[in-house]
């Protein structure tokens, strides 16, 4: 890669699900990648294949503490993302989102780096507008069990916009909708990882509520493509951009599809709906289509097929203990795979 286009890029949360795919893509593009992670939910296994690359470096660090490095771009992904993980230590979740954002913005300001924030569709809460457009302000419970994540991420967006207005930082805010794929943590309690590991192990699939709630799932490769396009956009887009796959499915549909695809004998069981569980979620990606000339290309079946193959190999390598699935409300013991 020509020296002029080769950048020094910091990825916080780089040992996590999305972060590891992003590091992999940036390393393959020839950039110098610094992966920073405190291994709260991420693992070295996710980036083990990059450790021998001359243009990849790993640093154990918690972003709630200041970080002094010299970089050209920052992707700020550090933060537990699944409800059982971010609710396990909610104070740390808010600190990671807010103090982490302040530190990364302070770093970006000092070294004049472009900075990307991994925001979330949770900004919209239990949305009253459907599909969700970027100009919708959201419907978020500020004091419930999901608030540490939702409000932490909302505050991070405020900080990003204020550093832009006050300090003229070049910022990118991606509002990421549910994303799935290989390297999701098998015990993160998210719906795709739960259903996949349950179906592959012949255990009942745990649908919460009656399964009519919806989500729109984007395959990880499509999402990473969008991250890089957003970062590389010549102009600061002045505000958040929704990234996700608009194809909306109910949780019952996805359970049935996973049972079919795995040929599993698992039955579907119904349990209580978690507190403040958003009812419907679907991104309006008009802004991303126009700004980034991007849209997702991986169908749900293609993405599920790759994900199921990943979990199948993982289960073969590390046999699950019975009922190892993580459920909403689960605590510390559930953080292990
Ligand atoms: P993940 O839990 O796999 O990755 C998060 C990473 O951040 C982990 O490696 C974790 O160890 C690290 N981390 C957490 N706190 C940290 C801290 N204080 N200092 C340093 N590292 C820390 O989750 P993911 O799915 O890869 O999500 C990555 C980012 O994308 C998160 O910011 C999340 O909020 C956002 N996001 C993800 C989704 C999704 O569906 N995957 C949806 C919306 C937003
Ligand atoms: N910071 C950092 N790395 C840097 C520069 C700053 O981690 O290279 C942190 C620093 O700890 C500070 C925060 O970023 O608390 C915000 O920095 P800023 O310069 O915006 O604010 P100030 O230092 O004036 O509070
Ligand atoms: N869900 C489910 N069974 C599970 C895990 C999750 O029915 O074993 C539901 C959950 O209640 C929610 C949806 O699936 O309605 C998506 O949950 P996830 O935790 O994956 O993402 P989020 O709620 O953050 O969008």
């Amino acid at each position: 890669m020509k020296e002029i286009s080769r950048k020094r890029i910091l990825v916080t949360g780089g040992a996590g699900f999305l972060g590891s795919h992003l590091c992999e893509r940036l390393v393959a593009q020839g950039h110098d990648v610094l992966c920073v992670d405190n291994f709260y939910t991420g693992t070295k296994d996710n980036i083990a294949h990059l450790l021998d690359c001359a243009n990849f470096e790993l640093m154990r660090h918690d972003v709630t503490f200041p970080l002094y490095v010299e970089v050209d771009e920052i992707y700020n992904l550090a933060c537990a993302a699944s409800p059982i993980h971010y609710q396990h230590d909610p104070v740390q979740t808010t600190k990671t989102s807010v103090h982490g954002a302040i530190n990364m913005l302070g770093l970006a300001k000092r070294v004049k780096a472009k900075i990307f924030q991994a925001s979330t569709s949770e900004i919209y809460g239990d949305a009253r507008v459907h599909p969700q457009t970027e100009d919708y302000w959201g419907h978020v419970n500020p004091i419930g069990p999901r608030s540490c994540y939702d409000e932490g991420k909302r505050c991070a967006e405020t900080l990003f916009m204020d550093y832009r207005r006050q300090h003229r930082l070049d910022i990118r805010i991606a509002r990421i909708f549910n994303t799935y794929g290989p390297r999701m943590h098998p015990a993160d309690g998210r719906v795709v990882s739960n259903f996949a590991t349950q179906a592959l192990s012949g255990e009942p699939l745990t649908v919460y509520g009656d399964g009519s709630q919806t989500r729109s799932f984007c395959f990880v490769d499509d999402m990473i493509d969008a991250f890089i396009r957003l970062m590389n956009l010549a102009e600061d887009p002045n505000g958040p951009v929704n990234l996700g796959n608009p194809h909306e499915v109910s949780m019952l549909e996805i359970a049935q599809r996973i049972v079919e695809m795995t040929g599993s004998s698992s039955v579907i069981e119904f349990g209580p709906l978690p507190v403040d569980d958003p009812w419907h979620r679907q991104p309006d990606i008009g802004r991303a289509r126009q700004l980034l000339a991007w849209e997702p290309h991986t169908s749900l079946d293609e993405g599920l097929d790759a994900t199921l193959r990943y979990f199948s190999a993982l289960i073969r390598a590390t046999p699950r203990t019975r009922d190892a699935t993580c459920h909403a409300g689960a605590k510390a013991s559930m953080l292990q795979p």
Side-chain angles (χ1 to χ4, degrees):
M1 185 176 225
K2 284 194 195 140
E3 281 308 311
I4 193 149
S5 48
R6 180 178 178 142
K7 288 175 279 193
R8 296 163 303 174
I9 304 181
L10 166 63
V11 178
T12 76
F17 161 48
L18 295 179
S20 63
H21 285 274
L22 178 62
C23 286
E24 190 175 277
R25 194 81 72 91
L26 295 171
V27 165
Q29 290 180 349
H31 298 294
D32 278 322
V33 176
L34 172 61
C35 167
V36 162
D37 206 295
N38 68 350
F39 304 116
Y40 182 54
T41 52
T43 74
K44 278 191 193 157
D45 289 347
N46 286 340
I47 35 109
H49 59 298
L50 299 176
L51 292 173
D52 286 338
C53 299
N55 57 334
F56 180 79
E57 198 181 342
L58 172 64
M59 182 194 290
R60 181 192 277 265
H61 176 80
D62 183 325
V63 295
T64 61
F65 296 97
L67 176 67
Y68 287 84
V69 291
E70 307 305 312
V71 289
D72 306 305
E73 288 181 355
I74 304 167
Y75 287 87
N76 186 36
L77 270 64
C79 187
S82 89
I84 59 155
H85 284 171
Y86 67 67
Q87 289 172 23
H88 169 64
D89 185 349
V91 173
Q92 173 68 9
T93 299
T94 305
K95 281 185 187 171
T96 294
S97 281
V98 177
H99 293 184
I102 291 174
N103 287 329
M104 293 308 108
L105 287 161
L107 168 62
K109 187 178 108 188
R110 182 179 63 79
V111 300
K112 300 188 173 39
K114 210 193 275 187
I115 181 165
F116 171 108
Q117 168 66 357
S119 189
T120 168
S121 54
E122 296 282 339
I123 293 290
Y124 302 119
D126 194 6
R128 296 298 188 258
V129 164
H130 193 78
Q132 292 80 54
T133 44
E134 289 88 348
D135 56 5
Y136 176 51
W137 290 355
H139 182 251
V140 173
N141 176 357
I143 54 168
R146 293 176 85 101
S147 314
C148 56
Y149 184 74
D150 302 5
E151 296 290 14
K153 290 282 187 178
R154 286 169 70 94
C155 183
E157 284 201 8
T158 307
L159 285 160
F160 269 69
M161 291 304 288
D162 282 335
Y163 268 78
R164 179 184 192 275
R165 284 183 283 255
Q166 197 174 328
H167 298 301
R168 306 261 166 257
L169 252 59
D170 187 347
I171 64 156
R172 312 293 149 116
I173 300 174
R175 287 193 178 151
I176 307 164
F177 285 65
N178 298 63
T179 305
Y180 70 102
R183 298 200 204 120
M184 289 185 90
H185 196 295
D188 67 7
R190 287 191 257 199
V191 70
V192 173
S193 37
N194 267 6
F195 288 176
T197 51
Q198 289 162 340
L200 290 165
S201 311
E203 293 167 12
L205 271 69
T206 51
V207 170
Y208 304 153
D210 64 4
S212 59
Q213 73 271 34
T214 64
R215 295 292 186 271
S216 305
F217 294 99
C218 185
F219 188 61
V220 60
D221 290 356
D222 289 328
M223 185 57 70
I224 300 304
D225 188 22
F227 282 10
I228 294 174
R229 281 173 191 247
L230 180 55
M231 185 64 120
N232 289 348
L233 201 61
E235 293 292 311
D236 175 339
N238 187 14
V241 181
N242 284 342
L243 299 180
N245 189 326
H247 178 73
E248 188 181 4
V249 286
S250 74
M251 295 311 102
L252 187 56
E253 281 173 278
I254 199 155
Q256 288 164 338
R257 192 71 197 110
I258 288 176
V259 169
E260 262 169 42
M261 288 178 76
T262 50
S264 173
S265 56
S266 295
V267 295
I268 293 177
E269 281 181 359
F270 295 88
L273 202 60
V275 178
D276 292 337
D277 201 77
W279 187 233
H280 289 308
R281 203 183 277 148
Q282 184 189 34
D284 179 319
I285 58 163
R287 192 153 196 249
R289 277 200 177 99
Q290 189 214 334
L291 283 172
L292 313 178
W294 170 88
E295 62 183 5
H297 292 295
T298 313
S299 69
L300 188 59
D301 275 5
E302 287 165 339
L304 283 179
D305 184 55
T307 310
L308 289 167
R309 277 190 279 112
Y310 170 77
F311 280 119
S312 173
L314 198 70
I315 288 171
R316 276 199 307 275
T318 42
R320 285 153 56 84
T321 49
R322 178 128 186 90
D323 199 26
T325 303
C326 271
H327 297 291
K331 289 291 180 191
S333 58
M334 295 300 195
L335 292 174
Q336 300 309 317

